[in-house]
Amino acid sequence: MPEYQMQELTLPNEEGKKVTYPRIKLWGQVDLEYLARHINYASSFTPGDIIGLVRALTESIAYEMAQGRSVKIDGLGIFTPSLGLRPQAEEQRDLRESEGKEYRISAASIYLRDINFRADKELIQQTGQKCHLSKSEWKARRSSQRYTAEQRLQLAQDYLKENPMLRVKDYCALTGLLRNAAASELKRWSETPGSGIGHMGTGSHKVYVRKENG
């Protein structure tokens, strides 16, 4: 039986109140071979047939998205390709924009960054019908409240005076925040004028740097 935990958002809402929300507790992950064996028990398809079919479907989805099309599979959902700037190109753009110069984006600087997936309503409904929740006895981890937001900003600024860059995991170690909270707060600092913190790169390559002009 799946379990849920009530988790508290790190940042308060507009009224300054802490907000809690339910989060399902995951106990692991199953792979294609596991699903193929499971389906095999209730069908005439062999595990090899199922794995081969899924891999062929995956290749077909990849091909269609590479041609500039989204792919809809009834009962499953819609797959849509998502583009982004290469990390080096984003760094160059940020540098030129900080100097007040125009940066022209070329095709060579763009790549397929991710694939967005929107689940079909039927999949959501089927999952909900099979999901009978109970409250978990395990307590969710919370970010440390040792420092205030202003103190955490000062810690980041001091760190960047001695180091060329600040990564999310460095900020976690400095402040005691959990990773998602640390990433969200660093992003906010980098978008706040006068914080003294900027960023370079994107996605998993994103790092935070000292911003002289604030």
Side-chain angles (χ1 to χ4, degrees):
M1 179 179 292
E3 297 180 354
Y4 72 92
Q5 299 169 325
M6 295 305 297
Q7 188 157 332
E8 188 178 84
L9 290 175
T10 302
L11 300 177
N13 62 13
E14 295 179 356
E15 299 175 352
K17 296 180 180 178
K18 290 289 186 178
V19 178
T20 58
Y21 64 97
R23 182 175 183 178
I24 193 166
K25 183 174 180 61
L26 298 177
W27 294 100
Q29 186 178 75
V30 300
D31 59 16
L32 177 56
E33 290 186 4
Y34 175 93
L35 292 176
R37 292 195 300 270
H38 183 76
I39 295 171
N40 169 244
Y41 292 135
S43 73
S44 59
F45 299 108
T46 67
D49 291 337
I50 297 164
I51 291 172
L53 179 60
V54 171
R55 287 177 177 168
L57 178 62
T58 300
E59 291 179 5
S60 295
I61 292 173
Y63 175 81
E64 295 301 329
M65 287 192 295
Q67 306 309 306
R69 290 184 278 266
S70 66
V71 178
K72 179 181 179 182
I73 299 179
D74 292 338
L76 182 61
I78 300 175
F79 298 84
T80 308
S82 174
L83 302 179
L85 279 181
R86 297 186 185 279
Q88 299 88 340
E90 186 160 347
E91 291 173 11
Q92 293 175 6
R93 183 192 64 180
D94 291 346
L95 178 61
R96 291 187 66 84
E97 288 182 351
S98 69
E99 296 173 347
K101 300 177 182 178
E102 181 183 0
Y103 177 76
R104 293 186 178 181
I105 298 175
S106 64
S109 64
I110 301 173
Y111 75 115
L112 182 72
R113 179 178 59 189
D114 203 353
I115 295 172
N116 297 325
F117 173 72
R118 189 174 76 232
D120 192 294
K121 289 182 179 179
E122 183 180 342
L123 177 62
I124 297 173
Q125 290 172 353
Q126 286 187 11
T127 304
Q129 290 169 0
K130 295 176 172 63
C131 187
H132 304 287
L133 292 163
S134 64
K135 189 171 183 179
S136 175
E137 295 181 1
W138 293 87
K139 291 185 178 180
R141 290 180 60 204
R142 294 184 181 181
S143 293
S144 170
Q145 300 298 314
R146 180 179 179 184
Y147 302 106
T148 65
E150 291 74 18
Q151 290 172 328
R152 293 194 294 268
L153 174 59
Q154 186 64 56
L155 287 171
Q157 292 169 338
D158 291 344
Y159 184 92
L160 288 172
K161 290 178 182 177
E162 304 294 332
N163 299 274
M165 63 182 179
L166 173 65
R167 297 165 298 180
V168 172
K169 69 176 184 179
D170 299 324
Y171 196 59
C172 290
L174 280 174
T175 63
L177 292 181
L178 298 181
R179 184 173 182 82
N180 287 347
S184 176
E185 188 165 85
L186 274 177
K187 180 176 182 294
R188 180 159 62 90
W189 292 144
S190 71
E191 296 171 349
T192 302
S195 69
I197 297 177
H199 75 270
M200 298 175 64
T202 184
S204 60
H205 300 283
K206 195 171 193 177
V207 296
Y208 295 86
V209 297
R210 188 175 179 182
K211 192 174 182 181
E212 298 291 348
N213 61 3

